[in-house]
Amino acid sequence: EKIISKKDVDMLNLLSATDRDILWVELYRPNLLKNTLLRISDSMDDQLIKELATNAIHWTTFASGQKLFIPDTDMRQAICILTGAITYTPQDYVPSQRMSKMSKMKSMSATRLTAFLERDNADGSQGEADGQGQVPVDLYRETWLCELALWCNWVTHGWAES
């Protein structure tokens, strides 16, 4: 099965801009509305999903084994898996090493986050780690990665590859 992209479909160039916009909304709307915040926002703003579908979404295909990002990468977009799978490996958090980045946050938030990370690391319920304390997770259809990049400046906290 070959995955095609927009550039593989010559007929798209024959559609009017209005018809192309309608097509993108119909294609992307179901996946966008699976996101709770987007679904709530759409109920208050009829144009939100249309604007996202026609101006903000970029369809990308990745080759098997292709790296999507590494830790500490500034993300300018969120990723929603439509087909296939992505393997995500969270960065092994050591709160003292992360403190320089957290110092930019309000001290109260940093304290809560540090407590959360320490509790999370001590928990041990994350699954069986590889030799470096990292637990790869396979993510499939309708899963979002770096979703916070939609609303704020986001830095990745792990590795992802297709």
Side-chain angles (χ1 to χ4, degrees):
E1 175 180 312
K2 180 186 175 200
I3 297 175
I4 61 171
S5 66
K6 291 177 186 177
K7 66 182 178 190
D8 296 327
V9 183
D10 294 329
M11 294 297 291
L12 291 176
N13 296 325
L14 300 176
L15 293 174
S16 69
T18 302
D19 287 340
R20 266 196 310 272
D21 287 353
I22 292 169
L23 176 63
W24 299 146
V25 170
E26 291 300 314
L27 284 172
Y28 298 133
R29 182 182 195 81
N31 286 305
L32 291 170
L33 291 179
K34 289 177 184 169
N35 177 289
T36 303
L37 183 59
L38 293 178
R39 189 172 53 254
I40 292 168
S41 300
D42 181 57
S43 69
M44 294 183 276
D45 179 359
D46 293 346
Q47 295 299 306
L48 176 70
I49 296 299
K50 179 183 179 207
E51 289 297 317
L52 288 173
T54 58
N55 298 313
I57 302 226
H58 177 72
W59 185 294
T60 304
T61 57
F62 298 103
S64 180
Q66 181 177 347
K67 300 251 185 262
L68 279 66
F69 56 80
I70 61 173
D72 300 318
T73 302
D74 289 328
M75 285 300 284
R76 304 282 182 224
Q77 71 275 340
I79 298 169
C80 181
I81 304 168
L82 298 180
T83 61
I86 291 176
T87 300
Y88 175 71
T89 306
Q91 186 174 21
D92 187 26
Y93 282 91
V94 178
S96 61
Q97 292 175 350
R98 306 294 297 174
M99 206 45 129
S100 64
K101 287 190 179 191
M102 291 190 302
S103 66
K104 295 177 184 175
M105 304 170 101
K106 294 179 181 175
S107 61
M108 186 174 189
S109 296
T111 302
R112 286 188 199 145
L113 184 56
T114 300
F116 170 77
L117 292 174
E118 287 173 344
R119 186 177 65 244
D120 192 45
N121 284 340
D123 180 319
S125 65
Q126 299 282 325
E128 188 169 328
D130 64 15
Q132 300 168 12
Q134 300 153 349
V135 183
V137 178
D138 289 331
L139 305 172
Y140 300 97
R141 185 176 183 182
E142 300 175 2
T143 303
W144 288 79
L145 279 98
C146 305
E147 180 180 1
L148 288 173
L150 294 172
W151 300 287
C152 65
N153 294 328
W154 183 250
V155 176
T156 59
H157 297 280
W159 295 260
E161 72 176 50
S162 59

